[in-house]
Amino acid sequence: MMSLVRDVLDKRLLDRDNCLLGRVDGIVLEMPEGRQPRMVRLEMGGEILAVRVARWLVRPTRWLRRSFGPMREARVKIGWKHVKRMGRDLHLDLAADDTSALAWEYWIADHIVARIPGGKST
């Protein structure tokens, strides 16, 4: 029997090439009446994590995302069907670039790191 909090929440997500996408911040379940709950998807995102840490962090996190960030969507959604192996990490059958999970990393590389002397890759 799987414990969702212990076995899924906060686990690292690795794509099919073992590229780190981030950690699972939220779990979405479907609760059909009269049937067993069903895992629908995993979610990642600052606002989801902020809700778990301290609700007052949601507003500043949302403001940062809308004002500076590359993503207009608050969360990265990964269907449970893409989880292929569980253990210390959750292994997915997706490539990192098939998701928006690395959007912040790319944005930081382009807008901040590239402006540092020696930070631009050739």
Side-chain angles (χ1 to χ4, degrees):
M1 175 125 166
M2 178 172 63
S3 168
L4 291 178
V5 173
R6 182 194 69 217
D7 296 335
V8 178
L9 201 59
D10 293 324
K11 293 287 185 171
R12 294 182 339 156
L13 287 168
L14 301 175
D15 79 349
R16 65 178 173 225
D17 300 317
N18 286 324
C19 174
L20 178 63
L21 301 179
R23 292 188 180 266
V24 177
D25 296 318
I27 300 168
V28 176
L29 300 174
E30 184 178 80
M31 307 282 280
E33 191 173 323
R35 296 193 356 229
Q36 293 287 328
R38 185 176 78 85
M39 185 80 122
V40 176
R41 69 178 173 267
L42 306 173
E43 295 187 337
M44 300 166 32
E47 291 176 39
I48 299 166
L49 183 59
V51 168
R52 290 179 47 213
V53 173
R55 285 189 99 52
W56 66 267
L57 287 172
V58 173
R59 185 168 285 160
T61 303
R62 185 175 295 141
W63 178 82
L64 284 170
R65 176 181 54 84
R66 289 179 178 164
S67 300
F68 300 106
M71 298 174 59
R72 297 298 162 229
E73 180 70 26
R75 56 192 77 201
V76 176
K77 301 171 186 175
I78 298 176
W80 181 249
K81 66 182 179 182
H82 294 293
V83 176
K84 294 305 172 196
R85 191 177 61 192
M86 293 175 55
R88 175 173 288 196
D89 303 316
L90 299 180
H91 296 264
L92 306 174
D93 66 354
L94 298 170
D97 290 333
D98 293 340
T99 72
S100 59
L102 299 180
W104 274 100
E105 284 81 353
Y106 293 147
W107 186 88
I108 290 169
D110 291 344
H111 292 86
I112 298 172
V113 175
R115 295 175 185 201
I116 298 170
K120 191 177 276 188
S121 60
T122 55

